[in-house]
Amino acid sequence: MERTTAQPLRTCIGCRRTAARSELLRLVMDRGDAQRVVADPRRRLPGRGAWLHPDQACLKQAVRRRAFHRAFRGPVDISGVDDFFRSSVSAAAGPDTVQAESGSEI
Ligand SMILES: [Zn+2]
């Protein structure tokens, strides 16, 4: 039996591969500050969004191809996305650090 995923596919603006929404990080324009793009890990923020793998390589590719500019139709500030990657991805990135997730307070 094949597993059919009913999830809609989205395209990563970095590597341009399609993936299920749950595998991609949603990015949206911050409504309070019109040119700032922020990560929306809960996929709840309204507004124009773009999708990116939670991967630094994809972020770099997206920056290099000006994919943010294209996705949001203009120049945007992605420092918020950068911050998100630095705080969350770096915590989960290295295979060595995975085990430190819990039980480290002993
Ligand atoms: Zn990607």
Side-chain angles (χ1 to χ4, degrees):
M1 287 292 160
E2 253 178 66
R3 262 175 47 184
T4 45
T5 30
Q7 289 213 50
L9 297 176
R10 292 289 181 269
T11 305
C12 169
I13 62 171
C15 64
R16 298 186 124 177
R17 290 181 192 200
T18 52
R21 280 178 10 142
S22 57
E23 289 174 38
L24 297 169
L25 174 67
R26 184 167 187 256
L27 306 172
V28 288
M29 192 83 100
D30 186 348
R31 301 189 106 194
D33 185 348
Q35 288 187 319
R36 190 172 153 88
V37 173
V38 295
D40 176 22
R42 288 179 192 160
R43 303 189 274 275
R44 278 189 191 160
L45 300 177
R48 173 170 275 276
W51 299 81
L52 185 75
H53 282 114
D55 187 323
Q56 295 268 17
C58 288
L59 176 62
K60 273 184 202 159
Q61 280 192 65
V63 170
R64 207 169 41 209
R65 328 185 125 111
R66 295 164 63 85
F68 285 99
H69 191 114
R70 219 171 305 151
F72 294 101
R73 302 194 173 161
V76 289
D77 172 11
I78 59 154
S79 58
V81 181
D82 234 15
D83 287 349
F84 178 85
F85 268 77
R86 221 162 289 165
S87 59
S88 84
V89 176
S90 63
D96 300 341
T97 54
V98 171
Q99 292 179 327
E101 203 173 296
S102 63
S104 57
E105 54 195 348
I106 300 169

